[in-house]
């Protein structure tokens, strides 16, 4: 079954009298535990698409189903549940809280899901180990390298055990060598945990790690030629 099934998705923004049509009937169906990269010029609507898929914003027309559930018609409460349980987000600038340790940053994303303190800690530590940060769990973000901070953010997304991970420029802030290391790790975890990844990036060298690369252009997704 397709984890993500989008059909005929439309999204436009209106600012004053100006209307920007960003998505104009976009379709996407993922195959089982696929890792997909979406490329496309700046302003083509990549972040817009991730926001719609992540339940952060709403489109005007079309349907988005994730793991068999239609999310376009959900009310605020159900959408909140969806975001909490089913989707993990990874951002370019990590979005870690500077006053919390690596472990506490991962725990923060789970507090709504796991009430027991011991269990919460166990879950956070499990995923920090999984991304190779066994010895950095009690460090604060400023004591970590850029790559290590991104790994904390990845652990935070994975620890929810979501069906879908959305990543907006996850390696945009890393050099090519560190980006490659992070990608190898994401790829391994994807297969172990059977998660669908949708990754937005400008870095075409990431293509080799992907099952599929698509380009967002004129409001729709096009298959990229090799
Ligand atoms: N909240 C908003 N209000 C009005 N216009 C918006 C809003 N968010 C995005 N846009 C417009 O929608 C278009 C797509 O923006 P989006 O951020 O999705 O592009 P992107 O592909 O992610 O670009 P980049 O690669 O630069 O991050 C742009 O023209 C942008 O100006
Ligand atoms: Mg963007």
């Amino acid at each position: 079954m397709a984890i993500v099934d989008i059909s005929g998705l439309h999204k436009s923004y209106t600012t004053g009298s100006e209307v920007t049509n960003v998505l104009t009937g976009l379709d996407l169906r993922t195959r089982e535990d696929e890792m997909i990269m979406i490329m496309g010029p700046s302003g083509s609507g990549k972040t817009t698409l991730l926001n719609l898929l992540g339940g952060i914003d709403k489109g005007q027309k079309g349907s988005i189903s994730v793991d068999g559930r239609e999310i376009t018609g959900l009310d605020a409460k159900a959408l909140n549940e969806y975001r909490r349980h089913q989707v993990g987000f990874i951002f370019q600038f990590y979005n870690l809280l500077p006053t919390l340790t690596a472990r506490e940053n991962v725990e923060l994303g789970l507090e709504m899901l796991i009430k027991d303190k011991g269990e919460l800690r166990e879950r956070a530590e499990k995923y920090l180990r999984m991304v190779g940060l066994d010895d950095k769990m009690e460090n604060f973000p400023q004591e970590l390298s850029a790559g290590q901070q991104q790994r904390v953010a990845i652990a935070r997304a994975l620890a929810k055990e979501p069906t879908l991970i959305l990543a907006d420029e996850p390696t945009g802030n890393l050099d090519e060598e560190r980006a490659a290391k992070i990608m190898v790790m994401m790829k391994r975890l994807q297969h172990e945990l059977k998660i669908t990844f949708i990754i937005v990036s400008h870095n075409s060298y990431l293509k080799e790690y992907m099952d599929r690369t698509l380009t967002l252009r004129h409001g729709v997704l096009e298959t990229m030629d090799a």
Side-chain angles (χ1 to χ4, degrees):
M1 188 187 65
I3 288 294
V4 172
D5 194 343
I6 302 178
S7 77
L9 190 61
H10 283 74
K11 174 72 183 176
S12 53
Y13 294 106
T14 309
T15 329
S17 60
E18 197 169 322
V19 179
T20 314
N21 294 313
V22 184
L23 306 180
T24 56
L26 179 143
D27 298 320
L28 174 66
R29 266 188 84 109
T30 62
R31 302 176 193 123
E32 204 154 323
D33 359 296
E34 229 183 351
M35 187 175 268
I36 292 185
M37 174 155 81
I38 295 177
M39 302 191 74
S42 180
S44 59
K46 303 180 298 298
T47 298
T48 299
L49 174 61
L50 291 193
N51 287 345
L52 296 178
L53 248 177
I56 292 169
D57 199 0
K58 282 188 184 260
Q60 280 95 9
K61 216 168 94 186
S63 81
I64 303 175
S65 124
V66 177
D67 206 10
R69 186 158 73 138
E70 181 61 41
I71 64 158
T72 35
L74 295 180
D75 62 19
K77 186 165 174 273
L79 214 49
N80 216 4
E81 283 290 296
Y82 162 72
R83 273 196 303 265
R84 258 178 216 161
H85 292 264
Q86 276 194 285
V87 207
F89 297 93
I90 300 171
F91 306 93
Q92 177 176 0
F93 296 107
Y94 327 131
N95 291 16
L96 301 177
L97 284 184
T99 55
L100 299 182
T101 64
R103 176 175 56 76
E104 289 164 343
N105 264 287
V106 176
E107 287 180 1
L108 187 66
L110 299 171
E111 277 169 0
M112 301 305 234
L113 304 176
I114 304 172
K115 294 295 168 205
D116 180 83
K117 286 261 180 279
E119 207 183 307
L120 185 65
R121 188 185 181 118
E122 237 167 70
R123 176 82 76 91
E125 288 179 353
K126 174 182 167 188
Y127 284 93
L128 282 163
R129 276 195 298 276
M130 215 175 256
V131 299
L133 290 176
D134 310 50
D135 55 344
K136 299 287 181 189
M137 295 190 192
E138 301 308 324
N139 287 73
F140 291 94
Q142 80 263 18
E143 299 166 340
L144 302 173
S145 72
Q148 287 167 343
Q149 288 181 55
Q150 189 57 306
R151 282 192 273 158
V152 176
I154 292 168
R156 181 181 55 190
L158 291 170
K160 287 207 248 176
E161 302 182 345
T163 37
L164 173 65
I165 287 194
L166 304 174
D168 204 346
E169 293 283 0
T171 59
N173 209 24
L174 304 174
D175 61 45
E176 204 164 319
E177 193 185 325
R178 279 186 297 181
K181 268 197 187 148
I182 293 270
M183 282 316 305
V184 169
M185 189 194 76
M186 293 220 281
K187 199 84 195 123
R188 176 173 56 79
L189 294 172
Q190 179 219 1
H191 286 302
E192 272 176 39
L193 303 169
K194 305 241 173 291
I195 298 174
T196 299
F197 273 76
I198 298 185
I199 297 174
V200 162
S201 179
H202 285 106
N203 295 337
S204 55
Y205 63 80
L206 294 183
K207 261 194 282 185
E208 65 175 291
Y209 302 99
M210 301 296 152
D211 298 311
R212 227 171 0 139
T213 300
L214 301 167
T215 306
L216 183 46
R217 200 176 286 135
H218 309 306
V220 294
L221 287 168
E222 299 169 357
T223 303
M224 197 138 143
D225 299 324

